[in-house]
Amino acid sequence: MSVLETIQGPADLAGLSEQQLADLAREIREFLVAKVSRTGGHLGPNLGVVEITLAIHRVFDSPRDRILFDVGHQAYVHKILTGRQAGFDQLRRKGGLSGYPSRQESVHDVIENSHASAALSYADGLAKAYQLRGEDRHVVVVVGDGALTGGMAWEALNNIAAAKDRRIVIIVNDNGRSYTPTVGGLASYLNALRTNPRYEQVLELVKRSLNRTPIVGAPVYDVLHGVKRGLKDVLVPQGLFEDLGLKYVGPIDGHDRAAVEHALEQAKRFGGPVLVHCVTRKGYGYHIAEQDEADCFHSPPTFDPATGIPLTGSEPKWTSIFREELVEIGRQRPDVVAITAAMEHPTGLDAFAREFPDRCFDVGIAEQHAVTSAAGLAMGGMHPVVAIYSTFFNRAFDQVLMDVALHRCPVTFVLDRSGVTGEDGPSHHGMWDLSILQVVPGLRIAAPRDGTRLRELLWQAVGIDDGPTVLRFPKGAVPDDVPAVDRVGGCDILVRTGEPDVLVVAVGAMATTCVDVASRLAGHGIGVTVVDPRWVKPVDPVLIDLARQHRLVVSVEDNGRVGGVGAALGLALADAGVPTPLHVAGIAQEFLQHGSRSELLADLGLSAQALARDIVERVASLEGAPLDALAGGEHDPLPRG
Ligand SMILES: Cc1ncc(C[n+]2csc(CCOP(=O)(O)OP(=O)(O)O)c2C)c(N)n1
Ligand SMILES: CC(=O)[C@@H](O)[C@H](O)COP(=O)(O)O
Ligand SMILES: [Mg+2]
C-alpha cells in the first residue's frame, strides 16, 4: 500500500517518518499528473505547493485553524490530504469535485471565490472575529507572488500589519510567475531576495541552524529572523514587509518540507502576524511542466502525461481570432496599445506583444489599475485595448464608470470568457457584464455572433473615439459564420420565415442557437424573424420597430436575465409604448456550478430544443389554441425534457 492510500485526513500525517513523507510527496505528484492529465486543470500551481501544503497540515490543526488559498487553484493537494482523493476522476466535471475550495465538499475549505488577491482580506476578517470571540485559532493563508500584485492584497496587509496579536500566518508561495513571470516592483523585490548569490549561502546557513537546533521556540526564530534581517539590510535597505510592521521569515526553500515546517512552527509560536516567504517552482517535479516556458502548465487541457501533448484538438477559438485581428489593427493604428492583467497569452495579447513590445503593458493581477491606467493612456492620445476575462472585469466597475466613461475616454474593453464558461465554476462564469455595464452612460457594447463579426466589430470599436466600447464573447470554439439575409439599420436579419409571429433577438454567440430554433419552428405555422443587433448597448431603435411588427419578442442572451440586454430592450419597448409581449431568455440570476458549457446552457433552458418548446408554448398561450394543434400533436418534434 502506498503512503498516499493511508491518508484519509490531516491527522494521518502526524506519525509519518521523513522517508514516508518524502515518498508521500512523490506519490502526490504522480497522482496529480495522472489525474489532471485525464481531466485538465491547474497542474503547474499544485505541483509547486506539495511540500508547503504537507507542512501546513502537519503544523496546523485544520479545520480548527483555517487554511485559506488565494485564487484557490492550488488547493488540489489540500483536497488530497483532506479525504477527497476519490473525487479527482471527476475533477471540474458537472457534479464532480470543484477545481477550487468548496464548503459543500469539506469543512476544511473556506474561500470559494477564485478571484485573486482577496484571501488576505478574508484572513484579516477571520482573525478579528476569532480575537473578538476569544477563540485561539490560527488563520493560515497561501498567497502567490502573482496574487500579491493585486491591490486588495496590500489593502489587507496594511490592516494585518497593524494588529500585533492576531494569529495570521501568511505563506507567500513565490514561484516568480503568474502565468508568465510576475511583473512590477514587488516582483523585482522578491526576485532580489531569491536570486542574490548570498541568498544561497544564507539559505544553507539557515538550513544548517534549523537542522542543528531542535525546535526550542525563540532561538530558532531569532536565527531565522536575525539572519534574514542581515541579508535584507544588505540587499534592500529596509524590508518591505517589515517596514509595514510584519514579521518576515525567509526566504525558505518551499520544496524543503522540513524547513517549511520549522518556519511555520516558529510563526505559529509567534502569536502575531508573520509572513513566511517560500521560494518554489511552478510545475516542480514534472519536467514537462517545469520546462514549459509559456506558463509551466498553469491550466492544461487533458494531455498525454508521457509527452505533455494536449489530447484535444486546437479548434479556432474566439481568442485566436481576436489575437490575429488585433495585430492587424496594431499595424494600421500606431495609437492602439494593449493592456493585460497578468494574462497576456490567455487573453490573446501575446502576438500583439511580440510585434509591438513597447505597446503592450502587463500590469500584474491588477484589473482596477489596468482600467484607470487605460484612461490615462487615452487622455494621452492613445487608444487602449484592455483584454480581461469578463468575470475579472467585474472588480473594475467603478474604474470603468468614473475613470473611463465619465471622461468619455476612447478605451476598448475585450471581455473573453463571457457568459457560461464551464469547468471553473461560479466565480468564473462571465454572466454579469451585460448587466452591470448597462448602467454606464455612453459606453457601447458589441456582442459578435461569429468570427467574422468579431473582426468587424473590433475594427468598429477601435474606430470610436468619443467614449468606451466593449466586445464580449464566450470561451472556446467559434461557431461557423452565420450570414445575414438582410441588414436593417445596424441590425443583421439572420432568418425571416413566414408571418412575423415571433421576433427572436439573438445576442452574440447565441445566434447559432437561435437560427436552430427558427428551423425547429419553421414547419409549424409559426413565423420567426431572428435578428442580431451586433451592438447590444444602446438598444437599437430598429428593434423597437421590428417588435411592433411581431406578436411576441424573445431575447436570448448568455448573461444573467436581470439587467441584461433583454431587460434593457423591455424598458425601451415600454418607453416606446410597444405592447408586444417580451420574454427574456437568459441565465437565471443564481451562482452556476461547474460543468461543460453545453451542459450548463442546456440546464438553463438555453438549448435550441428548450427555447423552441418554450416559444411554442408562449405562442399557443397568445392564441389560447391547444398546444398540440400548434405543435403538430403526435408529430411534435419538440419532445419535452
Ligand atoms: C482577479 C483575477 N484576475 C485574474 C485571475 C486569473 N488567474 C488565476 S491564477 C493567476 C496567476 C496567479 O499567480 P500566483 O498568485 O503567483 O499563483 P501561482 O499560479 O503562481 O501559484 C491568474 C492571473 C484571477 N483568478 N483573478
Ligand atoms: C485560476 C484562474 O483564474 C485561471 O487559471 C482560469 O482557470 C483560466 O481559465 P481558462 O482555462 O478559461 O483560461
Ligand atoms: Mg506565482
Side-chain angles (χ1 to χ4, degrees), residues 345-528:
H345 187 270
T347 58
L349 291 183
D350 49 312
F352 186 93
R354 277 193 299 274
E355 184 144 346
F356 310 108
D358 297 339
R359 290 160 53 191
C360 188
F361 304 101
D362 180 351
V363 297
I365 310 179
E367 286 82 2
Q368 294 167 319
H369 170 69
V371 171
T372 304
S373 172
L377 277 157
M379 290 173 175
M382 310 308 285
H383 188 117
V385 174
V386 185
I388 297 178
Y389 283 10
S390 170
T391 187
F392 305 140
F393 191 61
N394 293 348
R395 68 170 35 175
F397 171 74
D398 185 62
Q399 287 74 20
V400 173
L401 182 66
M402 293 303 176
D403 296 332
V404 176
L406 176 64
H407 302 87
R408 301 180 59 170
C409 292
V411 177
T412 296
F413 298 102
V414 176
L415 307 186
D416 199 334
R417 277 39 174 203
S418 284
V420 172
T421 50
E423 292 78 8
D424 274 304
S427 56
H428 263 76
H429 295 301
M431 57 180 275
W432 292 280
D433 57 270
L434 290 178
S435 300
I436 60 176
L437 295 173
Q438 289 295 341
V439 303
V440 181
L443 177 141
R444 301 173 177 88
I445 305 175
R449 65 174 183 268
D450 54 29
T452 297
R453 267 35 74 174
L454 172 52
R455 296 177 195 278
E456 290 171 2
L457 291 165
L458 184 58
W459 276 100
Q460 288 177 25
V462 298
I464 292 172
D465 60 6
D466 65 351
T469 52
V470 171
L471 264 74
R472 56 101 69 180
F473 46 80
K475 176 172 184 174
V478 185
D480 295 340
D481 270 3
V482 182
V485 297
D486 195 0
R487 167 68 66 89
V488 181
C491 298
D492 281 349
I493 304 296
L494 308 181
V495 175
R496 184 182 280 131
T497 58
E499 291 304 310
D501 294 325
V502 183
L503 175 67
V504 176
V505 181
V507 176
M510 297 308 292
T512 302
T513 300
C514 294
V515 169
D516 185 354
V517 168
S519 67
R520 289 168 183 261
L521 296 172
H524 294 273
I526 297 178
V528 184

Side-chain angles (χ1 to χ4, degrees), residues 42 71 73 100 114 179 298-299 343 346 389 392 417 424 428 475:
H42 289 92
V71 179
H73 64 311
Y100 300 89
S114 60
Y179 283 71
H298 178 84
S299 178
M343 297 180 76
Y389 283 10
F392 305 140
R417 277 39 174 203
D424 274 304
H428 263 76
K475 176 172 184 174

Side-chain angles (χ1 to χ4, degrees), residues 144-146 173-178 182 282:
D145 54 301
N173 174 31
D174 176 11
N175 53 29
R177 304 178 75 101
S178 279
T182 305
K282 204 162 192 171

Side-chain angles (χ1 to χ4, degrees), residues 254-315:
H255 296 303
D256 179 338
R257 196 215 76 259
V260 178
E261 280 190 32
H262 276 301
L264 294 184
E265 287 288 359
Q266 302 318 315
K268 183 176 176 182
R269 284 178 170 72
F270 184 71
V274 180
L275 185 142
V276 179
H277 177 192
C278 291
V279 179
T280 64
R281 285 176 24 215
K282 204 162 192 171
Y284 185 75
Y286 179 53
H287 69 284
I288 294 172
E290 286 189 68
Q291 289 157 12
D292 171 23
E293 269 312 303
D295 65 8
C296 296
F297 261 48
H298 178 84
S299 178
T302 54
F303 64 91
D304 176 347
T307 62
I309 295 170
L311 299 179
T312 49
S314 55
E315 71 247 332

Side-chain angles (χ1 to χ4, degrees), residues 3 29 95 112 117 171 204 226 343 469 476 567 620 624:
V3 182
R29 286 194 164 88
E112 301 180 358
S117 318
I171 299 167
E204 200 43 46
M343 297 180 76
T469 52

Side-chain angles (χ1 to χ4, degrees), residues 155 165 212 281-282 449 535 544 590 599 615 618:
E155 294 167 23
D165 52 355
R212 204 174 45 246
R281 285 176 24 215
K282 204 162 192 171
R449 65 174 183 268
W535 290 92
I544 310 291
E590 295 156 8
E599 283 173 328
I615 289 173
R618 289 179 187 280

Side-chain angles (χ1 to χ4, degrees), residues 524 613 616-617 620 625-637 640:
H524 294 273
R613 175 98 215 157
V616 168
E617 289 170 356
L627 183 56
D628 278 0
L630 260 183
E634 70 280 4
H635 306 301
D636 180 359
R640 285 188 180 286

